[in-house]
Amino acid sequence: MSLAVRVIPCLDVDGGRVVKGVNFVDLRDAGDPVEMARVYDAQGADELTFLDITASSGDRSTTYDIVGQTAEQVFIPLTVGGGVRAVEDVDRLLRAGADKVGINTAAIARPDVIGEIAHRFGNQVLVLSVDARRADDQPSGFEVTTHGGRRSAGIDAIEWVRRASELGAGEILLNSMDADGTQAGFDLEMIRAARGATDVPLIASGGAGRLEHFAPAVDAGADAVLAASVFHFGTLTIPAVKETLRGAGHVVR
């Protein structure tokens, strides 16, 4: 487990622009990714996550040029996801400037790709992105979704977290599709369930709306907290989130 809690802004990119919606629909423009990355770096973000949100559903590769431009502007770890299907995609993203690579849909389709990537590059570069939502028909009460939450994968989200960790995922980005963009708070029950299933670092995503939402996510077992809308539209700042976490007794960078 990491000692300091990380605060991570997430840039959801579509067609070269940062966008944000509610539950992955009704997307609105939030700005230029390279410029926003520069601002977050200056604000003290610990890492940046860059997700090409239509790469899998649109079946195209991640925009490598934007990744390269972003990497040139920031000096904090950059995780890039979207359209990553094989070892070759990871290699290309790392060469473009990514420090870590996120994988989601392709790992569900072919779990062996997790081990292949971890074996080639080390599991520290591999972040498994899990878009989960509540589902009564799964043992844990949570299911995995794909394609930006548009399809059920028909598998138990907590069991998938456990299995992916065993296969070699170095980190889990756990995104609550029910809470995504609602700003009503993180899904603490989901975080606790995932924490019980894995020892690898856990990034909580989906639902951040107010300063008081962040510490409970860490209390529930998150090693890092990720948010998008509240940072993009100036509702909250990274220093304010860190100060709140500090005030709640958590170590931050």
Side-chain angles (χ1 to χ4, degrees):
M1 183 167 289
S2 56
L3 295 173
V5 177
R6 289 167 290 150
V7 178
I8 307 172
C10 181
L11 306 180
D12 293 321
V13 178
D14 182 15
R17 299 288 292 177
V18 176
V19 295
K20 196 58 206 170
V22 177
N23 304 127
F24 275 56
V25 293
D26 299 328
L27 301 175
R28 57 179 172 152
D29 189 274
D32 173 62
V34 181
E35 184 52 44
M36 291 176 76
R38 194 186 290 124
V39 169
Y40 289 137
D41 192 17
Q43 268 195 24
D46 297 302
E47 292 183 16
L48 269 177
T49 293
F50 179 111
L51 298 177
D52 191 337
I53 62 169
T54 50
S56 286
S57 56
D59 201 40
R60 60 176 170 72
S61 295
T62 309
T63 37
Y64 293 97
D65 54 335
I66 298 178
V67 172
Q69 292 167 33
T70 304
E72 284 172 11
Q73 295 294 333
V74 303
F75 303 97
I76 50 179
L78 178 64
T79 299
V80 182
V84 175
R85 295 177 186 86
V87 165
E88 295 73 37
D89 299 321
V90 176
D91 187 52
R92 202 172 156 195
L93 279 170
L94 295 175
R95 288 174 189 277
D99 297 283
K100 299 189 231 179
V101 173
I103 191 167
N104 182 344
T105 309
I108 294 164
R110 197 171 70 81
D112 286 349
V113 75
I114 296 173
E116 290 165 10
I117 293 168
H119 179 73
R120 168 108 178 248
F121 304 103
N123 62 358
Q124 77 284 349
V125 308
L126 184 58
V127 180
L128 181 81
S129 185
V130 180
D131 291 337
R133 68 182 173 199
R134 289 171 179 268
D136 295 335
D137 60 343
Q138 293 296 342
S140 71
F142 301 102
E143 70 173 357
V144 176
T145 68
T146 62
H147 298 79
R150 289 187 283 280
R151 292 185 206 168
S152 168
I155 56 177
D156 187 282
I158 304 308
E159 180 52 40
W160 176 230
V161 165
R162 180 183 289 111
R163 187 178 172 206
S165 302
E166 289 168 356
L167 286 168
E171 200 159 16
I172 304 291
L173 169 52
L174 184 68
N175 187 33
S176 166
M177 301 309 292
D178 299 313
D180 178 74
T182 63
Q183 301 190 16
F186 292 95
D187 189 329
L188 304 180
E189 189 185 344
M190 184 189 286
I191 295 167
R192 279 191 287 269
R195 178 76 286 158
T198 184
D199 292 329
V200 305
L202 193 60
I203 305 166
S205 167
R210 300 200 303 272
L211 290 173
E212 56 265 33
H213 288 156
F214 291 89
V218 179
D219 293 332
D223 299 279
V225 284
L226 179 145
S229 306
V230 289
F231 293 145
H232 300 343
F233 300 112
T235 314
L236 304 178
T237 65
I238 288 157
V241 170
K242 288 193 169 188
E243 196 50 49
T244 303
L245 286 168
R246 209 176 272 120
H250 297 294
V251 178
V252 294
R253 290 177 186 167

